[in-house]
Amino acid sequence: MKVHTPAVDHDAIARAVKVLERGGLVALPTETVYGLAADATNEAAVRSIFAAKGRPADHPVIVHVADARAIDEWSRNAPPAAYALAQAFWPGPLTLVLQRSGRVSDVVTGGQDTVGLRAPGHPWAQAVLQALGRPVAAPSANRFGRVSPTTADHVRADLGVKPGGAVDLILDGGPCPVGIESTIVDLTGDQPRLLRQGSISRSDLERVLGRAVAAPDAAAPRVSGSLERHYAPRTPLELVAQEALADWLQRSRAKSLAVLAPPAVLAAWPGKPSPHFALTAAGSEKEYARTLYANLRALDAAGADRIVVVAPPLGERWLPIHDRLLRARAGSRTDDSTTELD
Ligand code: TXA
Ligand code: MG
C-alpha cells in the first residue's frame, strides 16, 4: 500500500516556525517517526523536550539538519565516510554520529562530545528546516519508554497539546512512510559501527563505504534505543515462532489474545484460545515496518491479557523489525523495573 503524504501546508509550517523561534515544541512528521522538535540552538527549548517526554537529561537527541552542508557546521573532523554516506542516503533515514562542533550545546548531546546528525527526507520536516534556517533537535515524539508515534493522532494521544498536554503544535503530515526509527552509525571510532538498525541496513552502508561496518555492540555509547526496555506496549507481549505456536497455546494460561500474524496462520489457528482481536501481518518488510507501531498500539488497546506476535521472517531486511519486537517484548514485562527506558 502507498502512503499518502498530504501536500505541505505552508501556513501550518509558518506557524510551526513561529513556535520554534520563541522556544516552543513542535511535533513534526519525518519519514521514520514523528519527532518532538525544538530549536537546536535554544538550550531552554531543548531542555523542555526532556521534560515533555519524561526522559533523563543525559540522553542525547538527534540534530536534524536540512542537508549535508550542515556537517561542517555542526561536527568537526568528519571523516570522508560521513560525506559519502550523506551523499548516498540524505535526505533520508540515516543518523551519523560525529564529533560535535563548538556550536552544539551540552543539552543536545547529554554532555557527550559527539553529535547525531540527520537530514530528514519528509517534505514537511524539510519545509520546517528550510523556513527556520537552523537545525532542530528532536527525539521521537513519544513518552519515554513507549512506542514511537507514526501519526499525528499517536502524538496527540501520547503527549497532547498545551495547555493540557506537552506540545505547542502538532503538524499533521500524514502517516510516516518508513515507520521505524533511523539507522544510526557511529563514525567516531576506527571502524564505522552500527548503533541502531533501521531501514538502511548494515550491508547498504558497507556497499557505499567499501568496508566493514561493525555490528551493534552492548558496550556502544548511550543509544537509548539500545536499552532493553523500549518500544513497550502495556500489555505483555510474546513473540512466538509459527512452528511453536500450537505448543505455546497449549502451555499458556492467557484467556484472551490480541494477535499479529500472517493471514495463513490466522486462517488455521492451531489451538485455543482463538484471537480475541487479530491483525494481519504484512508480507513485505517495508509494509510490516510502516504499520508496526500503529499495529502495536492497536494490539495494546484491544484489552487482551496477552499480545501474541507470530515471528516475522528472518533475513537482514527483517532485522530492524525483529529488533523492535524483541524490545517491545522486553519492555512489556513488568517483572523488571530496574532497566532504563527511553
Ligand atoms: O528516526 C529517527 O531517528 C527519529 C526521528 C524523529 O528523526 N528520532 C529518534 O530519536 O528516534 P530518539 O531520540 O528517539 O532516538 C535517537 C537515538 C537515541 O537512542 C539517542 O541516544 C541516540 O539516538 N543518539 C543521539 N545522539 C547520539 C550520539 N551523539 N551518540 C550516540 N547516540 C546518540
Ligand atoms: Mg525514541
Side-chain angles (χ1 to χ4, degrees):
M1 212 181 85
K2 275 295 277 175
V3 192
H4 175 67
T5 297
V8 175
D9 174 347
H10 288 283
D11 292 338
I13 301 293
R15 281 197 297 278
V17 166
K18 281 218 178 73
V19 170
L20 292 167
E21 281 171 341
R22 62 167 171 74
L25 294 180
V26 173
L28 54 79
T30 81
E31 67 276 46
T32 57
V33 300
Y34 273 70
L36 182 60
D39 176 349
T41 64
N42 180 334
E43 289 197 350
V46 176
R47 235 177 243 120
S48 70
I49 294 176
F50 293 88
K53 275 186 66 108
R55 185 192 209 190
D58 61 348
H59 285 216
V61 283
I62 295 172
V63 174
H64 295 72
V65 299
D67 56 46
R69 282 175 296 190
I71 291 177
D72 292 332
E73 220 174 312
W74 299 94
S75 74
R76 67 189 157 83
N77 303 332
Y83 302 95
L85 291 175
Q87 164 87 31
F89 299 113
W90 281 6
L94 178 67
T95 299
L96 305 175
V97 172
L98 299 165
Q99 289 177 36
R100 69 165 167 178
S101 78
R103 301 188 62 169
V104 184
S105 142
D106 271 337
V107 182
V108 169
T109 67
Q112 302 190 54
D113 56 4
T114 60
V115 63
L117 296 181
R118 170 164 113 80
H122 195 288
W124 288 60
Q126 270 293 330
V128 168
L129 291 169
Q130 305 284 350
L132 182 66
R134 47 185 187 270
V136 298
S140 52
N142 54 283
R143 260 180 222 290
F144 190 59
R146 306 252 65 100
V147 172
S148 293
T150 53
T151 68
D153 278 345
H154 294 165
V155 182
R156 214 166 281 126
D158 205 8
L159 293 175
V161 182
K162 285 177 186 166
V167 182
D168 292 288
L169 178 71
I170 301 175
L171 282 179
D172 186 351
C176 302
V178 174
I180 52 171
E181 303 83 352
S182 62
T183 302
I184 306 181
V185 61
D186 180 0
L187 298 175
T188 62
D190 294 337
Q191 189 187 14
R193 178 177 295 281
L194 196 61
L195 297 183
R196 181 173 70 188
Q197 326 216 30
S199 62
I200 294 171
S201 70
R202 195 167 146 206
S203 19
D204 292 336
L205 302 174
E206 290 177 336
R207 216 169 294 123
V208 168
L209 296 176
R211 62 180 294 202
V213 171
D217 164 2
R222 304 189 68 87
V223 177
S224 46
S226 71
L227 296 172
E228 255 247 311
R229 288 182 60 177
H230 198 40
Y231 312 116
R234 288 163 212 274
T235 314
L237 181 148
E238 293 288 346
L239 189 58
V240 186
Q242 190 174 326
E243 316 78 71
L245 185 59
D247 244 29
W248 185 86
L249 285 166
Q250 211 156 45
R251 281 185 288 109
S252 168
R253 287 189 306 259
K255 293 200 171 50
S256 62
L257 305 178
V259 176
L260 174 63
V265 175
L266 292 175
W269 191 252
K272 289 249 169 326
S274 299
H276 152 79
F277 175 83
L279 292 173
T280 305
S284 83
E285 80 282 350
K286 282 206 167 74
E287 182 70 6
Y288 199 110
R290 191 180 68 71
T291 52
L292 177 60
Y293 289 143
N295 281 344
L296 288 178
R297 281 167 192 266
L299 292 164
D300 205 10
D305 52 35
R306 277 288 180 290
I307 295 171
V308 175
V309 177
V310 172
L314 299 170
E316 191 185 30
R317 293 270 154 218
W318 289 89
L319 277 177
I321 291 167
H322 283 273
D323 170 76
R324 297 330 186 262
L325 289 171
L326 288 169
R327 291 176 204 291
R329 179 176 70 175
S332 72
R333 298 228 165 109
T334 47
D335 53 0
D336 141 32
S337 53
T338 54
T339 331
E340 288 179 84
L341 293 167
D342 176 28

